[in-house]
Amino acid sequence: MISFYLNGKYHELTQLNPNTTVLEYLRLHEGQTDTKEGCGSGDCGACTVMVQRLPQASQMRDAKHDDKKNVIPPFYTINSCITLVSLMDGHHLMTASYLAENPEHHPERALLHPAQQAMVECHGSQCGFCTPGFVMSLACVYENNRMQTSSEAASQSDAKQLSYDEVVASISGNLCRCTGYRPIIEAGLLMSDIGQKRETEQSAVKDLTISLATDAMGSTKESAVSANAPAEAESDNVESTAIAPALNDAGRRLYIPKSLDELNQILAANPQATIWAGGTDLGLSVTQHLVDHEIIIQLSGIEALKSWSLSDANSNTSTDEQTQSQSLVLGAGMSYKQMIPVLEQYFPRFAQVFERIASPQIRNMGTIGGNIANASPIGDLPPILLALDASIHLRHCAPNREESSHAPYTDEIIPLSAFFLDYKKTKLQAGSYIVAIHIPLMQDHQHLFIHKISKRYEDDISACLLAARLDVSADGAIIDNVKLGLGGMAAIPLLAVHCQQALIGQATDVASFEQAAQVLSADVTPMTDVRASREYRMHVVQRLLVKCGKQLVAEMQAESA
């Protein structure tokens, strides 16, 4: 069973095609046609809805009464066209029609949400098709800002005003074809003023957070976990009690394991199942290719895959001759949004790239493990992770193999460079999944540069991407080691090994990078497609490599100044 709230009303589902998307459920099952279908691939944002994960009953009980608001999770947006409805389990799902304060269901008496009212006053809609998606994106940033500042400001009039950049970032995943973005951005900037005016006038303000249901839903979830506790304790016994699917329809099943032990058990029994994390790319198999997955194992309920830690590195987690002292371990289920604050602390330049990757809706759902497992030659994360000398932790749940006769699974940690085999082919096999990514921490003598080339600055696929980690000697005169990760240049993300060798041992100057750039053709032969020609890709990456050299020289000069 999956349970969630839709526009304030509780829903439980047991019999539903596991391939059903949120958009399909809203429009065809619930008649919520205010959410529109545009591209069907998570690009245009017309289908944007707002979601809030409901806190568990235990969280509410453990929190002091005065701090209860601190337990309330933030709102976030998703593309409903490519998100499975089962991912809404334990959430509150909201559409544009829910935002207004309208207890009598009368349009003329409704008090519009500040995002809606601002769009009216700024004339932010012409044809109106994209408007619900824009409204949801604006409402999300407004509500999070209001929730964030409510504990800091004495009144709404003292609340922090949204900046131009915050408004633009919030709608960067929404496409408008006729109105133009100026009035929509103006609406985003006006929302706070409308909210302040209403507080002054003591107008009714709708609280979009759902608190009445958290205890009931939380208790249900905790009871389910407790019932499964004996099976989890017997993690070495794959023959333990079978776990029931959350959704079942005409032989199609969807499982939502709550722990790694449950995942191992389900995957061992169903090695051919489709593993679904955020599904931001896998969702296209349903909407674009009309695939009807028979068995889906959804990873959203496994908190262990969403955590991170620091661990001591060893020879198994680094391919460098000089082993790094520590590694950052990111759970494969961490979303882009969850990773950003962690990367800001340890790899700030890596974190900055996320402004160029996908849209807020996609970053809220897409995971690092999914991006790697997808094995796309134009994936944004693999080239950067290759340059950082990352390793990947794989788990193989195959009880019939001889080496697995005394254990329910086998683990291996391999260099990420050994993970990609050919176009869309990796070391993953039936019954396997990614547990975590290990990234050695940067040292003082190491420098990271990342450059992405795409037709649009944000929310666009790479034409090519270069990530360079450059290690210099203690005096900064010599390049000791190099890792150059390439994306969009071959059938798989890869390291430019010939370029790397051409740079190692050379002087730290631009001329060394000019010479090494001429060796790039020995590493890759790019293809021509709709995004870029072969010649363009080769020329651009060569010049990006030289740019990295100029950046390195500038940094070395700044450090010595």
Side-chain angles (χ1 to χ4, degrees):
M1 179 188 74
I2 65 170
S3 57
F4 59 95
Y5 276 78
L6 169 59
N7 290 341
K9 296 181 179 179
Y10 184 66
H11 287 64
E12 285 184 359
L13 301 175
T14 54
Q15 290 188 324
L16 183 73
N17 186 337
N19 298 274
T20 304
T21 65
V22 172
L23 180 67
E24 182 182 0
Y25 180 77
L26 288 174
R27 294 183 64 86
L28 301 184
H29 294 259
E30 294 294 327
Q32 294 283 156
T33 54
D34 52 322
T35 303
K36 309 302 181 184
E37 180 176 15
C39 63
S41 58
D43 284 329
C44 73
C47 68
T48 300
V49 293
M50 191 162 71
V51 177
Q52 185 179 38
R53 184 175 182 180
L54 296 174
Q56 298 296 307
S58 58
Q59 292 177 292
M60 302 298 287
R61 288 195 300 267
D62 294 341
K64 296 179 180 179
H65 180 72
D66 292 340
D67 295 333
K68 207 166 187 178
K69 58 178 174 292
N70 296 327
V71 191
I72 300 176
F75 297 91
Y76 64 95
T77 53
I78 63 170
N79 292 122
S80 62
C81 68
I82 56 173
T83 303
L84 294 183
V85 70
S86 55
L87 284 162
M88 296 298 97
D89 185 43
H91 289 72
H92 183 203
L93 171 63
M94 290 158 275
T95 67
S97 60
Y98 179 71
L99 296 178
E101 180 64 48
N102 189 17
E104 298 179 12
H105 302 286
H106 195 294
E108 294 180 2
R109 299 172 187 168
L111 182 66
L112 297 180
H113 185 276
Q116 296 170 318
Q117 187 64 44
M119 288 285 280
V120 172
E121 295 185 15
C122 294
H123 307 286
S125 176
Q126 287 190 34
C127 81
F129 190 85
C130 69
T131 304
F134 271 102
V135 165
M136 297 311 292
S137 292
L138 291 174
C140 185
V141 70
Y142 173 86
E143 291 294 334
N144 282 332
N145 180 64
R146 186 176 71 159
M147 187 163 55
Q148 178 184 351
T149 58
S150 61
S151 59
E152 304 170 2
S155 66
Q156 180 66 20
S157 60
D158 299 323
K160 180 179 74 70
Q161 290 280 348
L162 288 168
S163 68
Y164 178 90
D165 289 341
E166 287 174 318
V167 171
V168 171
S170 72
I171 60 174
S172 60
N174 295 82
L175 177 65
C176 175
R177 295 186 180 275
C178 58
T179 301
Y181 293 94
R182 181 188 56 78
I184 298 173
I185 294 171
E186 289 177 350
L189 295 172
L190 184 64
M191 293 187 298
S192 297
D193 291 338
I194 294 174
Q196 292 170 7
K197 182 180 179 181
R198 287 182 178 175
E199 185 179 77
T200 302
E201 297 174 350
Q202 296 184 339
S203 300
V205 177
K206 186 172 186 176
D207 187 359
L208 299 180
T209 60
I210 285 283
S211 58
L212 69 155
T214 53
D215 287 331
M217 288 191 69
S219 299
T220 301
K221 298 296 179 185
E222 288 175 357
S223 298
V225 172
S226 299
N228 287 326
E232 290 183 15
E234 300 173 5
S235 59
D236 291 336
N237 180 13
V238 297
E239 300 298 330
S240 56
T241 306
I243 300 169
L247 291 178
N248 201 332
D249 177 73
R252 296 179 292 260
R253 307 189 302 277
L254 180 138
Y255 296 90
I256 309 179
K258 301 301 179 184
S259 68
L260 290 176
D261 288 339
E262 286 191 4
L263 173 60
N264 299 336
Q265 179 181 339
I266 297 170
L267 196 54
N270 304 277
Q272 300 297 332
T274 300
I275 298 179
W276 199 291
T280 53
D281 190 79
L282 195 55
L284 302 184
S285 67
V286 175
T287 62
Q288 304 295 311
H289 304 292
L290 306 181
V291 176
D292 203 27
H293 299 279
E294 184 177 349
I295 302 176
I296 297 175
I297 302 176
Q298 183 175 301
L299 305 183
S300 60
I302 306 177
E303 293 300 321
L305 291 177
K306 303 175 186 178
S307 62
W308 66 275
S309 63
L310 291 177
S311 69
D312 292 332
N314 54 53
S315 58
N316 291 328
T317 59
S318 178
T319 58
D320 280 353
E321 293 181 5
Q322 183 178 358
T323 303
Q324 308 297 340
S325 58
Q326 277 189 314
S327 286
L328 174 65
V329 182
L330 299 175
M334 290 185 72
S335 69
Y336 289 5
K337 184 176 182 179
Q338 291 170 328
M339 286 191 297
I340 290 174
V342 181
L343 294 175
E344 286 175 341
Q345 182 177 357
Y346 295 102
F347 300 94
R349 281 187 171 157
F350 191 176
Q352 291 173 3
V353 179
F354 281 86
E355 296 178 1
R356 303 283 317 279
I357 298 177
S359 64
Q361 294 94 320
I362 297 298
R363 292 196 292 267
N364 288 333
M365 298 299 294
T367 64
I368 182 173
N371 190 258
I372 294 171
N374 184 38
S376 171
I378 51 176
D380 290 305
L381 301 190
I384 304 172
L385 295 170
L386 287 170
L388 290 170
D389 199 32
S391 298
I392 186 168
H393 178 181
L394 304 178
R395 177 164 295 174
H396 308 290
C397 302
N400 295 326
R401 292 166 53 186
E402 292 183 5
E403 60 268 35
S404 302
S405 58
H406 301 293
Y409 58 81
T410 58
D411 284 355
E412 66 172 334
I413 298 177
I414 61 174
L416 184 61
S417 56
F419 177 73
F420 303 104
L421 303 178
D422 201 347
Y423 178 72
K424 290 288 188 176
K425 293 183 179 180
T426 69
K427 285 281 189 177
L428 289 173
Q429 51 194 341
S432 301
Y433 66 94
I434 301 173
V435 178
I437 310 300
H438 298 247
I439 313 173
L441 296 186
M442 298 279 289
Q443 305 299 302
D444 292 338
H445 64 284
Q446 295 178 329
H447 302 259
L448 178 66
F449 305 103
I450 305 168
H451 297 289
K452 172 179 175 175
I453 302 298
S454 58
K455 291 185 176 182
R456 293 195 305 262
Y457 180 81
E458 54 197 4
D459 193 14
D460 199 8
I461 295 172
S462 298
C464 51
L465 189 149
L466 170 67
R469 197 203 73 194
L470 306 171
D471 305 357
V472 298
S473 58
D475 60 3
I478 302 298
I479 302 172
D480 280 345
N481 202 356
V482 180
K483 294 290 182 180
L484 301 176
L486 300 179
M489 297 291 286
I492 59 174
L494 48 75
L495 291 169
V497 293
H498 290 88
C499 273
Q500 292 172 180
Q501 290 302 317
L503 279 170
I504 294 175
Q506 299 300 312
T508 308
D509 56 37
V510 177
S512 298
F513 289 85
E514 292 275 10
Q515 294 174 2
Q518 303 306 313
V519 187
L520 185 64
S521 58
D523 287 308
V524 290
T525 302
M527 65 176 291
T528 296
D529 59 17
V530 294
R531 294 183 185 88
S533 67
R534 175 186 299 108
E535 295 77 14
Y536 175 83
R537 283 188 164 103
M538 179 64 72
H539 177 73
V540 166
V541 173
Q542 287 175 329
R543 301 319 300 166
L544 289 178
L545 182 60
V546 175
K547 183 176 182 178
C548 290
K550 293 179 179 179
Q551 290 176 306
L552 176 63
V553 171
E555 283 193 3
M556 300 301 297
Q557 291 174 345
E559 291 176 2
S560 60

